[in-house]
Amino acid sequence: MTTHTLLMPLDMHLHLRDGVMLENVAPLTAYSFSGAIVMPNLVPPVSTLEDIQAYRERIMAAVPNDFFEPYMTLFYKNYDKAFLESVADEITAIKLYPAGITTNSEGGVSSFDIEEMRPTLEAMSNLNIPLCVHGETDGFVMDREAEFMSIYELLASNFPNLKIIMEHITTKEAVNMLDKFDNLYATITVHHLLLTLDDVVGGMMMPHNFCKPIAKRPEDLDALLSVALEAHPKVMFGSDSAPHPQEKKESCGCAAGIFTAPIALQLLCEIFEQYDKLDNLQAFVSDNAQSIYGLCPEFKEIILEKRPFVIPEHYANVVPMYAGQAINWAIASVD
């Protein structure tokens, strides 16, 4: 039996939601990951010290028997330095959403006026708080990420000491940005290493393959694979696993989000083995993130084995990507 071992896997972009959904999905990530950066776009968003502490408590209550660290984030607003100093020890990053661009982002940034943002971003630079960015404009859906590159350039050049994470990149333009600025990094999802727009709407609409940013063209997929498979030191795995109830996905007005949390490591093994790059998977799913964020996660050893695994049709009331399909890798043990 072929096996592959991963140590301290980290998911550097995760949606855990809240309430019953949190209770259902958090244990699935905590089982196979040592830690995860948890997104703050709840309703209302996580924007105060009390919000951070209370949300962390709810997450830990949902995963009481697993060695798992939720790396908390704050929803970006123009905070003052005194406030940021008061929360710096409680958070790993601050997440910036353009207003209305994705789920629960209505309170996000509506104007990228650098001078208006300067006090907050300079304070973050001084306090070594990374800025995670959902990088899309409100333009034509296939061009939104590429159009956002000028904003990344503006942020990176004006705040050279600010660590900026381009979240869930999907385009060759974003890949090309990686080496233009020392302070730009990126997360890549497993689904964007597998899907193009054809897999979403090329035939019948596939609601469980629909997310934002939407999957792009074959040449974009190739660009993502080129840096992920080589474990480029400025990229790291972030699932952007985004659970929605089945009735919200399979409906008019399909909710954006793909649920991959319980199958992400298995799918990544399949991809990296396909390209004979399994030796690079450890860096992509853990080592690079530890270096970029300065993390020291709890020890966890995941042994995966090459054998058929049929993805469940449901996890509670959430349908995963590739539900009911067989994949080639399965989790054998967690220690």
Side-chain angles (χ1 to χ4, degrees):
M1 182 73 71
T2 299
T3 64
H4 187 73
T5 300
L6 294 173
L7 300 178
M8 291 88 77
L10 296 171
D11 184 343
M12 303 309 289
H13 183 128
L14 177 68
H15 295 273
L16 288 177
R17 311 304 191 200
D18 213 346
V20 173
M21 183 65 82
L22 168 65
E23 294 169 4
N24 288 337
V25 303
L28 299 172
T29 290
Y31 173 67
S32 54
F33 286 87
S34 285
I37 286 200
V38 181
M39 295 296 102
N41 57 328
L42 305 182
V43 180
V46 177
S47 60
T48 69
L49 176 59
E50 293 74 22
D51 290 341
I52 297 163
Q53 293 171 335
Y55 191 28
R56 178 186 168 82
E57 288 178 6
R58 297 195 298 275
I59 293 169
M60 296 311 296
V63 292
N65 299 316
D66 290 290
F67 293 100
F68 175 75
E69 178 68 24
Y71 301 116
M72 305 306 294
T73 63
L74 199 66
F75 192 92
Y76 182 91
K77 296 180 180 179
N78 287 326
Y79 300 108
D80 61 38
K81 185 176 182 181
F83 171 76
L84 292 176
E85 287 175 339
S86 73
V87 301
D89 291 339
E90 301 281 343
I91 61 174
T92 300
I94 293 178
K95 177 63 182 286
L96 186 155
Y97 293 93
I101 206 67
T102 191
T103 304
N104 300 338
S105 63
E106 289 74 16
V109 174
S110 55
S111 170
F112 285 87
D113 182 324
I114 288 297
E115 294 312 311
E116 185 178 324
M117 302 174 75
R118 186 173 297 280
T120 300
L121 297 180
E122 285 187 346
M124 289 174 62
S125 299
N126 294 335
L127 294 167
N128 197 29
I129 300 173
L131 177 70
C132 299
V133 183
H134 181 120
E136 291 191 284
T137 69
D138 60 358
F140 178 67
V141 68
M142 291 292 284
D143 298 333
R144 290 176 180 179
E145 182 172 288
E147 290 175 350
F148 202 88
M149 293 303 111
S150 61
I151 297 176
Y152 279 132
E153 291 186 1
L154 193 65
L155 293 170
S157 60
N158 275 273
F159 305 97
N161 297 319
L162 176 65
K163 194 169 289 184
I164 301 169
I165 318 297
M166 302 186 291
E167 295 280 28
H168 45 48
I169 61 172
T170 64
T171 59
K172 62 183 186 297
E173 288 85 358
V175 170
N176 291 337
M177 283 291 290
L178 277 169
D179 294 320
K180 290 185 178 180
F181 294 91
D182 290 343
N183 56 330
L184 277 183
Y185 303 84
T187 58
I188 300 176
T189 75
V190 66
H191 53 272
H192 287 123
L193 294 175
L194 291 166
L195 304 176
T196 68
L197 187 61
D198 258 4
D199 299 299
V200 186
V201 292
M204 294 183 68
M205 170 67 180
M206 302 295 287
H208 301 290
N209 289 350
F210 171 61
C211 63
K212 291 185 177 179
I214 199 164
K216 302 297 193 305
R217 301 170 177 84
E219 56 266 35
D220 297 304
L221 174 60
D222 289 344
L224 297 176
L225 284 168
S226 72
V227 288
L229 292 169
E230 296 302 329
H232 187 297
K234 297 180 78 175
V235 303
M236 52 198 153
F237 173 65
S239 71
D240 193 22
S241 182
H244 292 280
Q246 183 173 0
E247 63 271 17
K248 296 292 187 182
K249 291 291 292 180
E250 299 175 5
S251 66
C252 180
C254 170
I258 298 177
F259 185 58
T260 58
I263 57 170
L265 295 180
Q266 300 94 305
L267 288 173
L268 286 168
C269 268
E270 190 168 289
I271 295 166
F272 277 65
E273 183 203 28
Q274 176 187 347
Y275 292 93
D276 196 26
K277 295 292 184 180
L278 267 176
D279 288 346
N280 292 340
L281 184 54
Q282 175 66 35
F284 181 65
V285 300
S286 184
D287 298 351
N288 287 355
Q290 292 183 53
S291 176
I292 292 166
Y293 275 94
L295 301 175
C296 296
E298 290 278 350
F299 180 82
K300 186 174 286 190
E301 180 183 74
I302 314 298
I303 298 178
L304 298 105
E305 61 185 15
K306 191 174 182 182
R307 61 174 170 82
F309 170 68
V310 177
I311 297 173
E313 296 281 354
H314 301 86
Y315 289 91
N317 67 335
V318 181
V319 178
M321 182 180 172
Y322 293 165
Q325 297 184 37
I327 58 176
N328 295 326
W329 286 81
I331 293 177
S333 65
V334 177
D335 188 10

